[in-house]
Amino acid sequence: MKIATDKKLHFIACLTVAFFAAAMSANILYPLWPAGRGWAHVAAAYAFGVIAALVVGIFKEARDSKQPGNHFCWLNLLADLCGALIGAFSSFLALLI
């Protein structure tokens, strides 16, 4: 099964956005989060990274759907979701190191 280059680019772009959004928000939230809440700030940062990447992907697909000869592709959104989840999780792992 060959994966189209477009899907790979969607995956890489959302992985990158999610990684940096999650890492930045975790570093911003950590000093602000009340003590004794455990890893809640990491979960919030993880969710923010995934959501930020998906918003970028959805806007990209919406813009593509308005171009002539192009359409809204749900498989691109699936590639976005996979990249977002892996990128945010990678950011979480980087926090542990």
Side-chain angles (χ1 to χ4, degrees):
M1 178 177 173
K2 185 174 180 178
I3 298 175
T5 303
D6 182 46
K7 309 295 183 277
K8 292 176 187 175
L9 292 174
H10 275 267
F11 177 84
I12 291 168
C14 283
L15 183 138
T16 305
V17 169
F19 180 87
F20 286 109
M24 289 174 55
S25 61
N27 286 318
I28 290 169
L29 287 175
Y30 183 73
L32 303 175
W33 212 264
R37 294 266 178 117
W39 290 87
H41 73 284
V42 175
Y46 182 83
F48 178 75
V50 171
I51 291 168
L54 289 179
V55 166
V56 169
I58 290 169
F59 277 119
K60 167 75 168 80
E61 284 305 306
R63 194 188 78 190
D64 283 352
S65 69
K66 294 180 180 180
Q67 295 176 345
N70 211 337
H71 65 283
F72 191 95
C73 181
W74 290 100
L75 292 177
N76 285 348
L77 284 182
L78 180 61
D80 292 340
L81 177 63
C82 292
L85 292 173
I86 292 171
F89 186 70
S90 298
S91 177
F92 170 72
L93 291 178
L95 287 172
L96 295 177
I97 296 176

